[in-house]
Amino acid sequence: MIPHEWPKTESEAVAIQERLRPLVRIEEPPPIRTAAGLDVAYRDEDEIVAAITVLDVTTLSVVDSAVVRGKAEFPYIPGLFAFREAPPLLAALDELSVRPDVLVCDGQGLAHPRRFGLACHLGVLTGLPAIGVGKTAMGSYEPPGEERGEWSPLHLDDEVVGRALRTQSGVKPVFVSVGHRCTLDAACELVLRLTPKYRLPETTRTADHLGRMQP
């Protein structure tokens, strides 16, 4: 059950983030056998296609998926994307027959101005372990070494909020942050398991592909 009503104003949304932020837990996750990739595509300014794929972490094969279309009910405001994207993503999670062990969000977790990005929000609402894997940095960092697996701290307001992680040698890093019920070490280890060939995790790639296939 969602523990809050969806807000109508920016001030209401910020208040919800501030209220839920203390519920984020940083801890070792349980054994992870399946990982869900969550992606949102926009067909026009307000039409949303939320796509989720669930992968077997060992084989990286898709074992379940769901797609939900919806209308964005909240304006486009930096730092408040979850209020546009979380409702259809939660609806898609409800459509799954396989409950994933972790949510891998195409976005941020603690790497957020109020330390409560999409991965934190979805993790707290569902109770599932969650991580954010962003394509762009929310904060500052020194480039990590060029080899796969090397990383450097991601800072925001003089606080370490995640890591710039090199998933493929000589390729731009991704930006990993904790969402809920995970540690940064465990999050980065999982991301490396999910990126055997490409920069982005297979969870993100398959969810993005599923969303793009929708008419």
Side-chain angles (χ1 to χ4, degrees), residues 108 110-113 115 134-143 152-164 175-177:
Q108 314 295 341
L110 293 176
H112 179 273
R115 309 300 185 265
K135 302 181 187 73
T136 57
M138 178 70 76
S140 61
Y141 67 100
E142 294 294 330
S152 60
L154 179 65
H155 292 91
L156 188 60
D157 303 325
D158 296 323
E159 180 182 350
V160 175
V161 294
R163 288 178 186 168
F175 303 94
V176 181
S177 58

Coordinates of all heavy atoms in Angstrom, one line a residue, residues 108 110-113 115 134-143 152-164 175-177:
Q108 N 18.4 8.0 -9.9 CA 19.2 8.3 -8.8 C 18.5 7.7 -7.5 O 17.3 7.5 -7.4 CB 19.4 9.8 -8.5 CG 19.8 10.5 -9.8 CD 21.2 10.2 -10.3 OE1 22.0 9.6 -9.6 NE2 21.4 10.5 -11.6
L110 N 20.3 8.0 -3.4 CA 20.8 9.0 -2.5 C 21.5 10.2 -3.2 O 21.7 11.2 -2.6 CB 21.7 8.4 -1.4 CG 21.1 7.4 -0.4 CD1 22.1 6.8 0.5 CD2 20.0 8.1 0.4
A111 N 21.9 10.0 -4.4 CA 22.5 11.1 -5.2 C 21.4 12.0 -5.7 O 21.0 12.0 -6.9 CB 23.3 10.5 -6.4
H112 N 20.9 12.8 -4.8 CA 19.7 13.6 -5.0 C 19.8 14.8 -4.0 O 20.3 14.7 -2.9 CB 18.5 12.8 -4.7 CG 17.2 13.5 -4.9 ND1 16.6 14.2 -3.9 CD2 16.3 13.6 -5.9 CE1 15.4 14.7 -4.3 NE2 15.3 14.4 -5.5
P113 N 19.3 16.0 -4.4 CA 19.4 17.2 -3.5 C 18.9 16.9 -2.1 O 19.4 17.5 -1.1 CB 18.6 18.2 -4.2 CG 18.7 17.9 -5.7 CD 18.7 16.4 -5.7
R115 N 18.5 13.7 -1.0 CA 18.9 12.4 -0.7 C 17.7 11.4 -0.8 O 17.5 10.5 0.0 CB 19.5 12.2 0.7 CG 20.7 13.2 1.0 CD 21.8 13.1 0.0 NE 22.9 13.9 0.3 CZ 23.1 15.2 -0.2 NH1 22.2 15.6 -1.1 NH2 24.1 15.9 0.1
G134 N 22.5 5.9 -12.7 CA 22.2 7.1 -13.6 C 23.2 7.1 -14.7 O 24.4 6.7 -14.6
K135 N 22.7 7.7 -15.8 CA 23.6 7.9 -17.0 C 24.4 9.2 -16.8 O 25.5 9.3 -17.4 CB 22.8 8.0 -18.3 CG 21.9 6.8 -18.6 CD 21.2 7.0 -19.9 CE 20.2 5.9 -20.2 NZ 19.0 6.0 -19.3
T136 N 23.9 10.1 -16.1 CA 24.6 11.4 -15.8 C 24.8 11.6 -14.3 O 24.0 11.0 -13.5 CB 23.8 12.6 -16.4 OG1 22.5 12.6 -15.8 CG2 23.7 12.4 -17.9
A137 N 25.8 12.4 -14.0 CA 26.1 12.5 -12.6 C 25.2 13.6 -11.9 O 25.0 14.6 -12.4 CB 27.6 12.9 -12.4
M138 N 24.8 13.2 -10.7 CA 24.1 14.2 -9.8 C 25.2 14.5 -8.7 O 25.2 13.9 -7.7 CB 22.9 13.7 -9.2 CG 22.2 14.6 -8.2 SD 21.4 16.0 -9.0 CE 20.0 15.3 -9.7
G139 N 26.1 15.5 -9.0 CA 27.1 15.8 -8.1 C 28.5 15.9 -8.9 O 28.5 16.0 -10.1
S140 N 29.6 15.9 -8.2 CA 30.9 16.0 -8.7 C 31.7 14.8 -8.5 O 31.5 14.1 -7.5 CB 31.6 17.2 -8.2 OG 31.8 17.1 -6.8
Y141 N 32.7 14.5 -9.3 CA 33.5 13.3 -9.2 C 34.8 13.5 -10.0 O 34.8 14.2 -10.9 CB 32.8 12.0 -9.6 CG 32.5 12.0 -11.1 CD1 33.4 11.3 -12.0 CD2 31.5 12.7 -11.7 CE1 33.1 11.3 -13.4 CE2 31.3 12.7 -13.1 CZ 32.1 12.0 -13.9 OH 31.9 12.0 -15.3
E142 N 35.8 12.8 -9.6 CA 37.0 12.6 -10.4 C 36.9 11.4 -11.3 O 36.3 10.4 -10.8 CB 38.3 12.5 -9.5 CG 38.6 13.7 -8.6 CD 39.0 14.9 -9.5 OE1 39.5 14.7 -10.6 OE2 38.7 16.1 -9.0
P143 N 37.3 11.5 -12.5 CA 37.2 10.3 -13.4 C 37.9 9.1 -12.8 O 39.0 9.2 -12.3 CB 37.9 10.7 -14.7 CG 37.8 12.2 -14.7 CD 37.9 12.6 -13.2
S152 N 35.2 6.0 -8.6 CA 35.6 7.1 -7.7 C 34.4 7.6 -7.0 O 33.2 7.4 -7.5 CB 36.2 8.2 -8.6 OG 35.3 8.7 -9.6
P153 N 34.6 8.3 -5.9 CA 33.4 8.8 -5.1 C 32.6 9.9 -5.9 O 33.2 10.7 -6.6 CB 34.0 9.3 -3.8 CG 35.4 8.8 -3.8 CD 35.8 8.6 -5.2
L154 N 31.3 9.8 -5.7 CA 30.4 10.9 -6.2 C 30.0 11.8 -5.0 O 29.5 11.3 -4.1 CB 29.2 10.2 -6.9 CG 28.2 11.2 -7.5 CD1 28.7 12.0 -8.6 CD2 26.9 10.4 -7.9
H155 N 30.3 13.1 -5.1 CA 30.1 14.0 -4.0 C 28.9 14.9 -4.4 O 28.8 15.4 -5.5 CB 31.3 14.8 -3.7 CG 32.4 14.0 -3.1 ND1 33.4 13.4 -3.9 CD2 32.8 13.7 -1.9 CE1 34.3 12.8 -3.1 NE2 33.9 13.0 -1.9
L156 N 28.2 15.3 -3.4 CA 27.1 16.3 -3.5 C 27.1 17.0 -2.1 O 26.9 16.4 -1.1 CB 25.8 15.6 -3.8 CG 24.6 16.6 -4.1 CD1 24.9 17.4 -5.4 CD2 23.3 15.8 -4.4
D157 N 27.3 18.3 -2.2 CA 27.3 19.1 -0.9 C 28.3 18.6 0.1 O 28.1 18.4 1.3 CB 25.9 19.1 -0.3 CG 24.9 19.7 -1.2 OD1 25.2 20.6 -2.0 OD2 23.7 19.2 -1.1
D158 N 29.5 18.2 -0.5 CA 30.6 17.7 0.4 C 30.3 16.4 1.0 O 30.9 16.0 2.0 CB 31.0 18.7 1.4 CG 31.6 20.0 0.8 OD1 32.3 19.9 -0.2 OD2 31.3 21.1 1.4
E159 N 29.3 15.6 0.5 CA 29.0 14.3 1.1 C 29.1 13.3 0.0 O 28.7 13.6 -1.2 CB 27.5 14.4 1.6 CG 27.0 13.1 2.2 CD 25.6 13.2 2.6 OE1 25.0 14.3 2.7 OE2 25.0 12.2 3.0
V160 N 29.6 12.1 0.3 CA 29.6 11.0 -0.7 C 28.2 10.4 -0.8 O 27.7 9.9 0.2 CB 30.6 9.9 -0.2 CG1 30.6 8.7 -1.2 CG2 32.1 10.5 -0.2
V161 N 27.7 10.5 -2.0 CA 26.3 10.0 -2.2 C 26.3 8.9 -3.2 O 25.2 8.3 -3.5 CB 25.4 11.2 -2.8 CG1 25.2 12.2 -1.7 CG2 26.0 11.8 -4.0
G162 N 27.4 8.5 -3.7 CA 27.4 7.3 -4.7 C 28.8 7.2 -5.3 O 29.8 7.7 -4.7
R163 N 28.9 6.5 -6.4 CA 30.1 6.2 -7.1 C 30.0 6.4 -8.6 O 28.9 6.0 -9.2 CB 30.6 4.8 -6.8 CG 31.1 4.6 -5.4 CD 31.6 3.2 -5.2 NE 31.9 3.0 -3.8 CZ 32.1 1.8 -3.2 NH1 32.0 0.7 -4.0 NH2 32.4 1.6 -2.0
A164 N 31.0 6.9 -9.2 CA 31.2 6.8 -10.7 C 31.9 5.5 -10.9 O 33.0 5.3 -10.5 CB 32.0 8.0 -11.2
F175 N 26.6 6.0 -12.8 CA 26.6 6.7 -11.5 C 25.7 5.9 -10.6 O 24.5 6.0 -10.8 CB 26.3 8.1 -11.6 CG 27.3 8.8 -12.6 CD1 27.0 9.0 -13.9 CD2 28.5 9.3 -12.1 CE1 27.9 9.5 -14.8 CE2 29.4 9.8 -13.0 CZ 29.1 10.0 -14.3
V176 N 26.3 5.2 -9.6 CA 25.5 4.3 -8.8 C 25.3 4.9 -7.4 O 26.2 5.4 -6.8 CB 26.3 2.9 -8.6 CG1 25.5 1.9 -7.8 CG2 26.6 2.3 -10.0
S177 N 24.1 4.8 -7.0 CA 23.8 5.2 -5.6 C 22.7 4.3 -5.0 O 22.0 3.6 -5.7 CB 23.3 6.7 -5.6 OG 22.1 6.9 -6.3

